[in-house]
Amino acid sequence: MDRIRIVGGNPLIGSIPISGAKNAALPLMIASLLTSETLTLKNVPHLADVAQLARILGNHGVDLTVVGKRLGDNGDHGQTYRLRAAEIVDTTAPYELVSRMRASFWVLGPLIARMHKAKVSLPGGCAIGTRPVDLHLQALEALGAEIELDGGYVLASAPGGLKGAHIAFPKVSVGATHNTLMAATLAKGETLIENAAREPEIGDLADCLNKMGAKIEGIGSSTLHIQGVDELHGAEHAVLPDRIETGTYAMAVAATGGDVVLEGARPELWQSALELLRNSGVEIEERENAIRVARNGSGVGPSSVETEPFPGFPTDLQAQLLALMSLADGTSTVRETIFENRFMHVQELARLGAHIDLKGDTAVVTGVKSLRGAQVMATDLRASVSLVIAGLAAEGETVINRVYHLDRGFERIEEKLGQCGAEIERLSS
Ligand SMILES: CC(=O)N[C@H]1[C@@H](OP(=O)(O)OP(=O)(O)OC[C@H]2O[C@@H](n3ccc(=O)[nH]c3=O)[C@H](O)[C@@H]2O)O[C@H](CO)[C@@H](O)[C@@H]1O
Ligand SMILES: C=C(OP(=O)(O)O)C(=O)O
């Protein structure tokens, strides 16, 4: 199993290209199930989750060609994927494939919409809470699907096709919004989704669906109107830049000190985290198609924040913030409101000398003058990268075990940080 070795203490200086967003690329790839024509996606990141989803889609009959190069090769920006589901050959998404990642469950909506039936295993994903799928199922039932649970599978059918409905989510869910939105594009009549998630990745999917012939209004708001159409067609779309990768590297620079330009980053996608860093004394300059992040000499101020659905502070940056606040001048409080078990990184950060007390859903972080390198264990995707940030800022050597979590969501992380002066390498075993 690969490990990452870091010798901390170097400031980060240089530039880092921001990849296409994992959490946008995945639903966009799934949207290919909705049409028999070719969907071309540009700026697709090279990630383990993308490769796994390609396997899942291949099992349903999607023909996938990769025509672009990896980010950075000859200045190319990301990979270009051509996906064509001329025919759906299998409407089952098996446990072996789906259990490894959360987004794979989102094939359910498109499969019922196009094929009027589907059998999809309950999903996996980061172990950060119970992560039920009740909202997905209730919304698909409202659209007319009959749903049964059997042997860990969701069996869904809608012999006469889906019908538009009024769906008011009792809780904001990114995945349930993606699933319902895709299903509703091919339902008969009008669908109204209230309390929809407003994450930019939802907007990216909706924009792409509209290019494919869908009729979606209200993009970017919490109320989506969808007028169903008989069929969708091919389109071309570029995956939006990864706001979580952007925030992660910004926090790494804030932790180590230095000066880095995040190429391709867009400020409006992570405004809440950007403001938090600014208020903590980190210099942030918004440029056209880039964001410069710098911290020279001064310390980092503490902060108090709660994770929230977009546009609030994202849960996917909470672990990284804890790593940074471990070195702040004072005490920070960080409340996790989205996932009930997303603090696994706390005990690992403690190995490096962080002082974090967990009080229910709130982490109280007392800043220390310095961290010291240690052996640590990655427990989930964002937890892993919080250990990378802490390791970069710590004195001495940190070795992170189980880095396969990191490969699910961070493209070429050693290379991107290494070119900014970090001493970081992958130890293959
Ligand atoms: C691949 C992807 O894009 N994953 C993201 C997505 O996950 P995911 O789509 O799984 O997260 P949701 O937005 O659905 O979850 C939000 C909350 O709603 C709850 N819930 C969700 C569905 C449901 O049917 N019932 C229910 O109770 C969840 O347990 C959680 O407490 O959004 C999360 C919240 O921004 C991010 O952390 C993940 O990175
Ligand atoms: C939690 C995440 O992913 P997933 O929903 O696939 O587990 C994440 O991207 O931080």
Side-chain angles (χ1 to χ4, degrees):
M1 229 179 273
D2 286 3
R3 291 168 297 152
I4 295 266
R5 175 178 171 271
I6 297 170
V7 179
N10 294 352
L12 293 171
I13 296 167
S15 74
I16 295 180
I18 297 301
S19 299
K22 161 180 96 74
N23 288 350
L26 299 176
L28 286 166
M29 287 169 69
I30 291 172
S32 67
L33 291 171
L34 289 162
T35 174
S36 59
E37 295 184 14
T38 301
L39 176 63
T40 301
L41 297 176
K42 294 181 157 184
N43 201 30
V44 178
H46 187 85
L47 296 170
D49 270 15
V50 167
Q52 178 66 4
L53 181 60
R55 269 176 231 122
I56 293 168
L57 295 176
N59 182 60
H60 294 306
V62 178
D63 183 43
L64 191 153
T65 330
V66 183
V67 289
K69 297 195 177 85
R70 288 175 52 175
L71 183 79
D73 296 348
N74 303 325
D76 200 350
H77 290 286
Q79 308 168 105
T80 296
Y81 273 27
R82 289 209 181 106
L83 303 111
R84 180 153 189 245
E87 264 184 75
I88 302 289
V89 297
D90 191 342
T91 52
T92 299
Y95 173 81
E96 306 75 66
L97 295 174
V98 176
S99 58
R100 297 221 211 139
M101 62 185 286
R102 187 77 186 163
S104 52
F105 189 68
W106 307 343
V107 300
L108 182 62
L111 286 176
I112 314 172
R114 179 161 163 197
M115 302 303 292
H116 303 175
K117 63 174 188 166
K119 178 178 174 187
V120 178
S121 168
L122 289 167
C126 283
I128 51 184
T130 48
R131 310 190 77 179
V133 290
D134 54 322
L135 300 175
H136 300 241
L137 303 186
Q138 282 159 20
L140 294 171
E141 278 176 334
L143 291 172
E146 282 176 23
I147 292 190
E148 266 179 62
L149 285 179
D150 188 28
Y153 278 82
V154 173
L155 310 176
S157 68
L162 297 176
K163 293 187 182 60
H166 180 179
I167 293 155
F169 283 120
K171 182 173 190 174
V172 177
S173 162
V174 170
T177 304
H178 278 310
N179 226 337
T180 313
L181 180 62
M182 286 191 273
T185 56
L186 292 180
K188 281 193 191 73
E190 194 180 318
T191 297
L192 177 65
I193 307 179
E194 287 186 279
N195 204 21
R198 283 184 285 160
E199 269 62 9
E201 294 76 22
I202 307 269
D204 209 32
L205 174 68
D207 284 339
C208 178
L209 291 169
N210 277 349
K211 288 181 194 166
M212 294 165 72
K215 293 192 173 150
I216 304 168
E217 286 178 9
I219 299 175
S221 79
S222 55
T223 305
L224 296 170
H225 290 264
I226 305 116
Q227 181 64 50
V229 294
D230 289 340
E231 55 183 21
L232 296 180
H233 51 72
E236 185 174 304
H237 185 80
V239 179
L240 93 174
D242 196 319
R243 64 195 166 98
I244 304 302
E245 190 195 28
T246 305
T248 299
Y249 288 128
M251 289 189 199
V253 178
T256 60
D259 197 328
V260 170
V261 177
L262 302 172
E263 302 286 354
R266 285 184 14 206
E268 75 279 13
L269 301 180
W270 63 295
Q271 205 51 245
S272 57
L274 186 155
E275 286 308 324
L276 182 147
L277 289 180
R278 262 200 187 127
N279 292 336
S280 292
V282 180
E283 193 184 332
I284 302 206
E285 186 194 326
E286 297 176 28
R287 296 183 176 171
E288 206 182 322
N289 278 325
I291 296 173
R292 180 180 150 253
V293 182
R295 183 174 72 78
N296 294 303
S298 62
V300 179
S303 58
S304 286
V305 72
E306 294 191 355
T307 60
E308 284 172 310
F310 190 85
F313 187 88
T315 174
D316 290 352
L317 281 175
Q318 177 258 104
Q320 299 88 317
L321 181 67
L322 286 201
L324 174 62
M325 288 300 127
S326 295
L327 288 161
D329 306 324
T331 300
S332 305
T333 53
V334 180
R335 183 165 168 246
E336 172 57 55
T337 74
I338 309 289
F339 292 109
E340 71 275 14
N341 191 22
R342 206 174 200 179
F343 279 128
M344 303 284 279
H345 37 284
V346 166
Q347 67 190 37
E348 299 304 305
L349 289 169
R351 290 182 201 278
L352 297 160
H355 284 186
I356 307 176
D357 281 333
L358 273 185
K359 297 185 176 157
D361 61 4
T362 302
V364 180
V365 193
T366 309
V368 294
K369 286 269 170 287
S370 61
L371 297 172
R372 276 210 67 77
Q375 289 255 3
V376 287
M377 186 78 81
T379 52
D380 64 67
L381 170 56
R382 311 303 173 185
S384 315
V385 86
S386 78
L387 298 173
V388 171
I389 293 176
L392 291 171
E395 291 164 8
E397 182 184 272
T398 294
V399 175
I400 306 172
N401 294 285
R402 296 200 187 163
V403 294
Y404 55 85
H405 290 292
L406 210 52
D407 296 332
R408 286 189 44 219
F410 288 91
E411 186 175 34
R412 302 186 301 115
I413 187 166
E414 313 94 272
E415 212 177 307
K416 289 187 184 188
L417 288 167
Q419 72 197 22
C420 291
E423 200 174 329
I424 177 169
E425 62 175 336
R426 183 176 289 253
L427 307 172
S428 300
S429 48

